[in-house]
Amino acid sequence: APQLDGYFAEVDKLSTHFIDRLSKAVAIPSISSDASRRPDVVRMGEFLAAELKALGASVEMRPLGKQPDKPDLDLPPVVLARYGSDKSKRTVLVYGHYDVQPAEKSDGWATEPFTLTVGDDGRMFGRGSTDDKGPVLGWLNAIEAHQKAGVDFPVNLLMCFEGMEEYGSEGLDELIEKEGKGYFADADVVCISDNYWLGTEKPCLTYGLRGCNYYSVEISGPGADLHSGVFGGTAQEPMTDLVRVLGSLVDTNGKILIPGISEQVAPVTAEEEGLYDGISFTMETLHDSLGSKTTIFEDKKPTLMARWRYPSLSVHGVEGAFSAPGAKTVIPAKVIGKFSIRTVPDMEIDRTNECVYKYVKEVFAKLGSKNTMKVYAQHTGKWWVASPNHWNFRAAGKAVERVWGVKPDFTREGGSIPVTLTFEQATGKNVLLLPMGSSTDGAHSINEKLDRRNYIEGIKLLGAYLHYVAEEPQD
Amino acid sequence: APQLDGYFAEVDKLSTHFIDRLSKAVAIPSISSDASRRPDVVRMGEFLAAELKALGASVEMRPLGKQPDKPDLDLPPVVLARYGSDKSKRTVLVYGHYDVQPAEKSDGWATEPFTLTVGDDGRMFGRGSTDDKGPVLGWLNAIEAHQKAGVDFPVNLLMCFEGMEEYGSEGLDELIEKEGKGYFADADVVCISDNYWLGTEKPCLTYGLRGCNYYSVEISGPGADLHSGVFGGTAQEPMTDLVRVLGSLVDTNGKILIPGISEQVAPVTAEEEGLYDGISFTMETLHDSLGSKTTIFEDKKPTLMARWRYPSLSVHGVEGAFSAPGAKTVIPAKVIGKFSIRTVPDMEIDRTNECVYKYVKEVFAKLGSKNTMKVYAQHTGKWWVASPNHWNFRAAGKAVERVWGVKPDFTREGGSIPVTLTFEQATGKNVLLLPMGSSTDGAHSINEKLDRRNYIEGIKLLGAYLHYVAEEPQD
Ligand SMILES: [Zn+2]
Ligand SMILES: [Zn+2]
Ligand SMILES: [Zn+2]
Ligand SMILES: [Zn+2]
């Protein structure tokens, strides 16, 4: 096993300095969705670049051109960095993002969102603390602690930090695909720290994500919006048709009523079955994060399976209908229902689309409506599952056990992190999701926080992971 | 029959002057829904008052206090006026409104909306031309033409012109109820000119309006909006329940699926049955105004019956769900579906509410959802039907025949003009709806217009109506 005591002691010694570094980062309001904050996003990228250079890394700021929906606005650069180029060492590629979600004190924050505020209980509040500035700085802190402890850095580290993650990672896929055999060519494995523990006490390694197909059903009839007094009872109303179509997709208990979806789902294997029982997760935690007890299942195992390995269908809303408070007696002329399906192995995007289109057309045809209906996918994204037995995961598991004294849970997530699949496909290497924060961090909510313990032990974990991955026998 | 030739000739002689008066009124942008335009609404009321005084009417400007939803904003005054107080004459109470819908050139107007623009074909474009400044000025013009022709005015005229009709007639009901036995006590009949011909060629008298009950169905579950990746498949979603409830209310062909509604509808009598065949209305006109051929019925009679004498149910939209363009993967925590039922004789408001509440609760109960559902009426308003054989209508029918050379159609409207019922109840007198404009005037649309012919012949009609109503034998 690698010698890590010196490194760990140095991380503890530097902890105030590392929290100070996080304070500086949180103080830059790098909100990617707000065009007026773009200079702050760029400033945050420059801050990272300067810190990396000071640590001896070579850094490139890669421009991504203009923002597609705002042709006068430059996208923030991708910070590409390399620390070490020793041919005798393995090379690890890590990804993170330096932009954040919007935040205003008036949204209900108890503290100033762009001032890192550390409570007596160790909770460190601030926008971006856990998503994703804490983890990104974790890599920099790991480098610094090695240097100051005089411990040889065990791998060559390639870093890819983007500034548009919270606004769709505009332009990043193209860069990753291009650099798969370029800047990233040496990578032996990939590690992404941009997700969270399943609960608050037990670390996890994440080996799967659901995909997402997002659909629109557009129904139109009259030439313009109508008054329901004048036309009610004489015209076929698009909204009447739409609620009937949307009402046919899924039932209250989440059962998808579209034929051909569940048929594509991979059967549960005995090996997978065994994974669930030990996982640290309770229905109480779920009720807490839900803010209610309106769950579909009463027990842990079907709940986790529903989140991780079964598809789900959500109806998000209707565009074109009356959506304000109050009462308006309009017959909307054209309404667009929005719903999405979270996809899992072995569902195929094209086959799923076909099942959706066929079913929606059949349901609409049965209505006998003279209105016009179109159904189409707004976007699609594939699910991702890695092998939790890959040597990258084995190394990470050993690092977790060394730092936290417990074997990690192997988890999936219900959401998608599309860049994961992009890295896997562009590099051909195994991708590991290695979270730093916990389930109560509130990444996109008010009062986002990162626990001091998760930050400091997380820095140890990232460093330890690099040591274990350096020596873990390949499969 | 009354002597009207001198009056008619004077109206023709003064037609340029009357169009000029309408130009002055249209030039005042009296938009009641826009608080910043409130001084213009007040200015319009003062313009009317000054014109009335110049014609010798006694005028009162009645304040209505503050606007309920904007406690710092005065409601515009109601202009109450009396012309003549000869005890030997009958007294006619007329109503109109001097406020208008919003309008901006950029909405797509071909001309400046607040500049009356008279085309070679006689179409007079301008906001408020037909709704309702043309008809309101019609009464003033009728007075002036009598004076200049030296024809004795046949009745005492009471006028009630409000400035908030397009924003819910705030405060007016209370005034009408109070003045029923006060300012309006002498009224023998009531006449409202604020609706339109059924088509473009044949005048009509309107004797019925549908009521409107407006409902909200509120379904809530989670404490806050959720991410469909994290919670899809594990939580019961309010939107899933809502579209199923909304989808159970009415079918594509307008059939209301709520038990107890159609049971309340008065049967069609032989007399009523006979009214429809002669009415000037074609499906082509309906297709034109609809902008499509997506009608429920193929023929005139069931279409008119559906608009006038049967209830209809429209789903207007959803509050709280995703309603913008694009794709957002939200599970809304609380959604409010909005729908309304147009009501007809002999439906009762309370019984209709009970049927709706009972049915929606049953449908929701069958879903087996843990979410919370509330259903309630946002507002209700009763239908109105008068006897088309009342002497007020007979007099108006004779006036139409005299001016237009044709017997009017007797029509109802699918929409509601709540003030009609308020006047009937407060005065206990028969109310007649006597339209001036035609079906293509586009009251609330861009390019609102009033045809020169409808304005000038309409002034003749209003005056002629007063002569006939002065001498028509009471029932
Ligand atoms: Zn993130
Ligand atoms: Zn995020
Ligand atoms: Zn009007
Ligand atoms: Zn109007």
Side-chain angles (χ1 to χ4, degrees):
Chain A
Q3 290 303 321
L4 292 167
D5 295 344
Y7 168 64
F8 287 174
E10 194 65 36
V11 171
D12 285 327
K13 211 169 104 185
L14 291 171
S15 58
T16 306
H17 170 57
F18 292 157
I19 291 169
D20 183 55
R21 179 174 273 146
L22 184 57
S23 294
K24 284 181 187 152
V26 166
I28 304 172
S30 52
I31 305 167
S32 50
S33 61
D34 180 350
S36 73
R37 292 291 193 184
R38 189 56 48 89
D40 292 311
V41 183
V42 173
R43 189 154 58 91
M44 180 65 207
E46 286 164 353
F47 167 81
L48 273 184
E51 297 282 297
L52 283 161
K53 279 178 197 160
L55 291 168
S58 60
V59 183
E60 294 183 26
M61 302 293 266
R62 287 290 182 87
L64 291 177
K66 303 289 182 186
Q67 185 166 319
D69 61 356
K70 296 221 168 67
D72 293 332
L73 190 65
D74 278 320
L75 289 166
V78 173
V79 180
L80 291 182
R82 167 182 280 275
Y83 183 70
S85 52
D86 184 336
K87 297 274 179 214
S88 70
K89 291 178 181 173
R90 286 184 178 154
T91 298
V92 176
L93 168 60
V94 302
Y95 160 89
H97 63 91
Y98 62 82
D99 62 320
V100 298
Q101 285 278 323
E104 302 269 359
K105 181 85 158 62
S106 60
D107 295 342
W109 282 72
T111 61
E112 283 298 332
F114 295 103
T115 303
L116 189 75
T117 308
V118 186
D120 292 339
D121 56 2
R123 291 190 295 174
M124 307 192 296
F125 293 97
R127 177 54 89 220
S129 54
T130 195
D131 182 20
D132 187 36
K133 290 178 176 178
V136 164
L137 295 183
W139 299 111
L140 278 66
N141 297 337
I143 293 171
E144 185 173 1
H146 277 85
Q147 292 175 346
K148 295 207 167 143
V151 177
D152 184 50
F153 206 71
V155 299
N156 304 312
L157 195 64
L158 289 172
M159 289 160 273
C160 175
F161 301 136
E162 68 155 325
M164 280 299 279
E165 198 274 343
E166 303 291 5
Y167 200 71
S169 293
E170 287 291 359
L172 187 69
D173 275 4
E174 295 74 6
L175 180 138
I176 296 172
E177 281 155 21
K178 183 165 149 281
E179 300 300 342
K181 303 295 168 221
Y183 201 93
F184 307 145
D186 296 344
D188 295 293
V189 288
V190 183
C191 178
I192 298 177
S193 186
D194 187 24
N195 67 319
Y196 309 93
W197 294 357
L198 191 57
T200 57
E201 292 309 315
K202 196 170 171 197
C204 64
L205 302 179
T206 304
Y207 67 96
L209 299 165
R210 293 195 289 187
C212 183
N213 290 8
Y214 199 105
Y215 299 99
S216 290
V217 189
E218 192 177 306
I219 303 183
S220 56
D225 284 0
L226 304 173
H227 187 280
S228 68
V230 182
F231 291 97
T234 70
Q236 293 185 336
E237 303 185 13
M239 190 66 179
T240 298
D241 295 344
L242 182 65
V243 292
R244 303 205 124 208
V245 170
L246 294 177
S248 74
L249 301 172
V250 62
D251 74 13
T252 292
N253 287 316
K255 188 184 173 206
I256 297 175
L257 305 174
I258 303 167
I261 302 293
S262 64
E263 289 82 344
Q264 296 180 64
V265 176
V268 182
T269 62
E271 186 198 353
E272 186 195 334
E273 188 102 35
L275 280 176
Y276 292 93
D277 295 322
I279 282 171
S280 172
F281 177 84
T282 67
M283 292 304 284
E284 286 66 39
T285 311
L286 179 60
H287 292 155
D288 280 355
S289 54
L290 200 58
S292 72
K293 297 194 170 177
T294 55
T295 52
I296 292 174
F297 304 102
E298 303 298 328
D299 300 312
K300 175 173 93 172
K301 190 166 163 183
T303 296
L304 287 178
M305 286 184 143
R307 178 187 292 189
W308 292 352
R309 63 108 54 232
Y310 285 113
S312 63
L313 189 153
S314 296
V315 179
H316 305 297
V318 179
E319 179 185 343
F322 176 54
S323 61
K328 189 177 171 186
T329 54
V330 65
I331 298 174
K334 176 175 158 184
V335 286
I336 308 173
K338 316 271 181 86
F339 67 96
S340 67
I341 299 178
R342 297 284 163 175
T343 59
V344 298
D346 297 319
M347 290 172 68
E348 287 168 18
I349 288 175
D350 288 344
R351 189 167 158 206
T352 302
N353 286 350
E354 275 160 36
C355 293
V356 169
Y357 301 159
K358 181 166 183 283
Y359 178 75
V360 168
K361 283 174 190 164
E362 281 170 5
V363 169
F364 181 75
K366 274 188 208 137
L367 298 180
S369 176
K370 296 173 185 171
N371 291 317
T372 304
M373 193 280 293
K374 283 194 286 190
V375 54
Y376 52 91
Q378 275 202 53
H379 63 70
T380 57
K382 198 170 176 286
W383 46 266
W384 166 80
V385 177
S387 165
N389 300 318
H390 188 277
W391 59 273
N392 192 23
F393 278 81
R394 286 203 310 269
K398 289 174 186 173
V400 167
E401 208 171 344
R402 177 74 171 266
V403 172
W404 290 100
V406 61
K407 279 191 205 300
D409 282 334
F410 284 84
T411 65
R412 299 196 200 179
E413 295 232 350
S416 54
I417 307 177
V419 77
T420 310
L421 192 64
T422 312
F423 274 115
E424 183 182 278
Q425 290 174 339
T427 64
K429 305 296 174 178
N430 179 272
V431 182
L432 160 75
L433 302 187
L434 181 59
M436 176 182 272
S438 82
S439 68
T440 55
D441 284 358
H444 288 196
S445 317
I446 55 167
N447 302 321
E448 176 182 347
K449 59 89 179 165
L450 175 63
D451 292 334
R452 188 186 193 283
R453 185 181 71 147
N454 281 59
Y455 184 51
I456 301 302
E457 301 307 303
I459 296 163
K460 293 179 190 169
L461 176 63
L462 297 183
Y465 158 70
L466 297 177
H467 282 272
Y468 281 100
V469 93
E471 62 171 48
E472 182 68 23
Q474 292 195 20
D475 307 302
Chain B
Q3 289 303 321
L4 292 167
D5 295 345
Y7 168 64
F8 287 174
E10 194 65 37
V11 171
D12 285 328
K13 209 170 108 186
L14 291 170
S15 59
T16 307
H17 170 57
F18 292 157
I19 291 168
D20 183 55
R21 179 173 273 145
L22 184 58
S23 294
K24 284 180 186 153
V26 166
I28 304 172
S30 52
I31 304 166
S32 49
S33 61
D34 179 350
S36 73
R37 291 292 193 184
R38 189 56 48 88
D40 291 312
V41 183
V42 173
R43 190 154 58 91
M44 181 62 206
E46 286 164 353
F47 167 80
L48 272 185
E51 297 281 299
L52 282 161
K53 279 177 197 160
L55 291 169
S58 59
V59 183
E60 292 182 27
M61 302 292 269
R62 287 289 182 85
L64 291 177
K66 303 291 183 186
Q67 184 166 321
D69 61 356
K70 295 221 168 68
D72 294 331
L73 190 64
D74 279 318
L75 290 165
V78 174
V79 180
L80 292 182
R82 166 183 280 277
Y83 184 69
S85 52
D86 184 338
K87 296 275 177 211
S88 69
K89 291 177 179 172
R90 284 182 179 156
T91 298
V92 176
L93 168 59
V94 303
Y95 160 89
H97 63 90
Y98 62 82
D99 63 319
V100 298
Q101 286 277 323
E104 302 268 359
K105 181 83 159 64
S106 59
D107 295 340
W109 282 72
T111 61
E112 284 298 332
F114 294 104
T115 302
L116 190 75
T117 309
V118 186
D120 292 338
D121 55 3
R123 290 190 296 173
M124 307 192 297
F125 293 97
R127 178 54 90 218
S129 54
T130 196
D131 183 20
D132 186 34
K133 290 178 175 177
V136 164
L137 295 183
W139 298 111
L140 278 66
N141 297 337
I143 294 172
E144 186 174 0
H146 277 84
Q147 292 175 347
K148 296 206 167 144
V151 178
D152 184 49
F153 205 70
V155 298
N156 303 313
L157 194 65
L158 288 171
M159 289 160 272
C160 175
F161 300 137
E162 67 154 326
M164 281 300 278
E165 199 274 343
E166 304 291 7
Y167 200 70
S169 294
E170 287 291 359
L172 187 69
D173 276 4
E174 295 75 5
L175 180 138
I176 296 171
E177 282 155 20
K178 183 164 148 282
E179 300 300 343
K181 303 296 169 218
Y183 201 93
F184 306 145
D186 297 345
D188 295 295
V189 289
V190 183
C191 177
I192 297 177
S193 187
D194 188 22
N195 69 317
Y196 309 93
W197 296 356
L198 191 58
T200 57
E201 292 307 317
K202 195 171 172 198
C204 63
L205 302 178
T206 305
Y207 67 97
L209 299 165
R210 291 197 289 187
C212 184
N213 290 8
Y214 200 104
Y215 299 98
S216 289
V217 188
E218 192 176 306
I219 302 182
S220 57
D225 284 1
L226 304 172
H227 188 279
S228 68
V230 181
F231 291 97
T234 70
Q236 293 185 335
E237 304 185 13
M239 190 66 179
T240 299
D241 294 345
L242 183 65
V243 292
R244 303 204 123 209
V245 170
L246 294 178
S248 74
L249 300 173
V250 62
D251 75 12
T252 292
N253 286 317
K255 189 185 171 206
I256 298 175
L257 306 174
I258 303 168
I261 302 293
S262 64
E263 290 82 346
Q264 295 181 64
V265 176
V268 182
T269 62
E271 187 199 352
E272 186 194 335
E273 188 102 35
L275 281 175
Y276 292 94
D277 294 324
I279 283 173
S280 171
F281 176 85
T282 67
M283 293 303 285
E284 286 65 40
T285 310
L286 179 61
H287 293 155
D288 279 355
S289 54
L290 200 58
S292 72
K293 296 193 172 178
T294 55
T295 51
I296 291 174
F297 305 101
E298 303 298 328
D299 300 312
K300 176 173 91 172
K301 189 166 162 183
T303 297
L304 287 178
M305 284 184 144
R307 179 187 290 190
W308 292 352
R309 63 109 53 233
Y310 285 114
S312 64
L313 191 154
S314 295
V315 179
H316 305 297
V318 179
E319 179 185 344
F322 176 54
S323 62
K328 188 177 172 187
T329 55
V330 66
I331 298 175
K334 176 175 158 184
V335 285
I336 307 175
K338 315 272 180 89
F339 67 96
S340 68
I341 299 179
R342 296 284 163 175
T343 59
V344 296
D346 298 316
M347 289 172 69
E348 287 168 19
I349 289 176
D350 288 345
R351 189 167 158 206
T352 302
N353 286 350
E354 275 160 36
C355 293
V356 169
Y357 301 159
K358 181 166 183 282
Y359 178 75
V360 169
K361 283 173 190 166
E362 281 170 7
V363 170
F364 182 75
K366 273 189 209 135
L367 298 179
S369 176
K370 296 173 186 170
N371 291 317
T372 304
M373 191 280 293
K374 282 195 288 190
V375 54
Y376 52 91
Q378 276 202 54
H379 63 70
T380 57
K382 197 169 175 286
W383 45 265
W384 166 81
V385 176
S387 165
N389 299 318
H390 188 277
W391 60 272
N392 192 24
F393 278 82
R394 286 203 311 270
K398 289 174 185 172
V400 167
E401 209 171 343
R402 177 75 171 266
V403 172
W404 291 100
V406 60
K407 280 189 204 301
D409 281 336
F410 284 84
T411 64
R412 299 197 201 180
E413 295 231 350
S416 54
I417 308 178
V419 77
T420 310
L421 191 63
T422 312
F423 274 115
E424 183 182 279
Q425 290 173 340
T427 64
K429 306 296 176 179
N430 179 273
V431 183
L432 160 77
L433 301 187
L434 180 60
M436 176 181 272
S438 82
S439 68
T440 54
D441 284 358
H444 289 196
S445 315
I446 56 168
N447 301 321
E448 176 183 347
K449 58 90 180 165
L450 176 61
D451 291 335
R452 189 186 192 283
R453 184 180 72 146
N454 282 58
Y455 184 50
I456 301 302
E457 301 307 303
I459 295 164
K460 292 178 189 169
L461 175 63
L462 297 183
Y465 157 70
L466 297 177
H467 282 272
Y468 281 99
V469 93
E471 60 171 48
E472 182 68 23
Q474 292 194 18
D475 308 301

